[in-house]
Amino acid sequence: MLPIYHVELLPTDFALRLRPGFIASLLVLALLVLGKFMIRDWWGAVSLVFVILMGLFVISGQYRVNASSALFYCVMAVISGVFDVISCVLYFQHSKYKMFDHRASNLALLAQGVFLLSPAALFSSAMVSYAIFSDCRDHAQDLMPLRGAAAGVDYAAALGWEATAAPGNQAAPVQHQPMAPVPFSGHGQRLDGT
């Protein structure tokens, strides 16, 4: 495989302050896993376990928060949340009880609570992880040259444009004459040696 250039985003103070909230959201998801096992939603529980395992990568690593893993976790939690919304709608369409019906058994009430809380917990956890990632991304020192003239990079000079004084003390771009393209003037090589 080709090596991929990867820059580890340093966590900001805001991202570190969000860490306890993110851990709390992982604990809520762990309680929902127990609830899913109790209502015998095996596949939902297993998929939520994998989401939690991905969330553990966010709070581990060299720093106390791994912003790159936060983005991956956010995507995974949103996708799992969409599937949980679908399973919630299907559950309530096929259930013989209305939402929190007083005639429902305790297990049916638990199932309703789990199916309602699971997408909400996943989406809120995804929002927290995206807030961690976006704050770390916005304050990354290594990515500052990619941000344009505000960071001191002169793209006009790199593209061959010069700023000249225009009326009103505003700089107007002046373009140099482009050079005519030069056709290939070498001789080709064949793979078979002829």
Side-chain angles (χ1 to χ4, degrees), residues 98-180:
K98 292 182 181 178
M99 193 179 306
F100 300 115
D101 191 4
H102 65 280
R103 294 174 293 148
S105 66
N106 289 338
L107 191 62
L109 291 174
L110 177 66
Q112 289 178 358
V114 166
F115 279 116
L116 286 174
L117 287 177
S118 182
L122 281 166
F123 288 134
S124 64
S125 179
M127 286 183 357
V128 172
S129 70
Y130 187 76
I132 290 171
F133 167 75
S134 66
D135 190 59
C136 293
R137 179 200 58 202
D138 292 343
H139 292 92
Q141 296 297 320
D142 294 333
L143 299 178
M144 286 308 227
L146 301 177
R147 298 204 178 260
V153 178
D154 187 11
Y155 286 112
L159 295 174
W161 294 67
E162 286 183 7
T164 60
N169 283 338
Q170 294 180 354
V174 175
Q175 186 178 14
H176 291 289
Q177 292 295 330
M179 294 177 34

Side-chain angles (χ1 to χ4, degrees), residues 9-10 26 28-29 69 74 83 85 98 107-108 128 140 164 180 184:
L9 298 174
L10 295 174
L26 289 179
V28 168
L29 290 175
S69 293
C74 177
F83 286 122
V85 166
K98 292 182 181 178
L107 191 62
V128 172
T164 60
F184 179 71

Side-chain angles (χ1 to χ4, degrees), residues 29-53 80 84 87 114-115 118:
L29 290 175
L31 290 175
L32 286 171
V33 166
L34 292 176
K36 283 182 180 266
F37 277 127
M38 289 176 67
I39 63 172
R40 294 179 180 86
D41 180 15
W42 309 116
W43 292 113
V46 168
S47 86
L48 203 52
V49 164
F50 285 119
V51 171
I52 292 171
L53 289 175
S80 185
D84 276 1
S87 67
V114 166
F115 279 116
S118 182

Side-chain angles (χ1 to χ4, degrees), residues 10-28 54-67 69-70 73 124-125 127-133 135-136:
L10 295 174
T12 60
D13 290 335
F14 178 71
L16 292 174
R17 280 184 283 154
L18 284 178
R19 187 177 191 265
F22 183 74
I23 293 172
S25 70
L26 289 179
L27 291 175
V28 168
M54 186 65 203
L56 293 177
F57 286 119
V58 177
I59 58 174
S60 64
Q62 179 181 4
Y63 309 107
R64 292 174 18 143
V65 171
N66 188 339
S69 293
Y73 173 81
S124 64
S125 179
M127 286 183 357
V128 172
S129 70
Y130 187 76
I132 290 171
F133 167 75
D135 190 59
C136 293

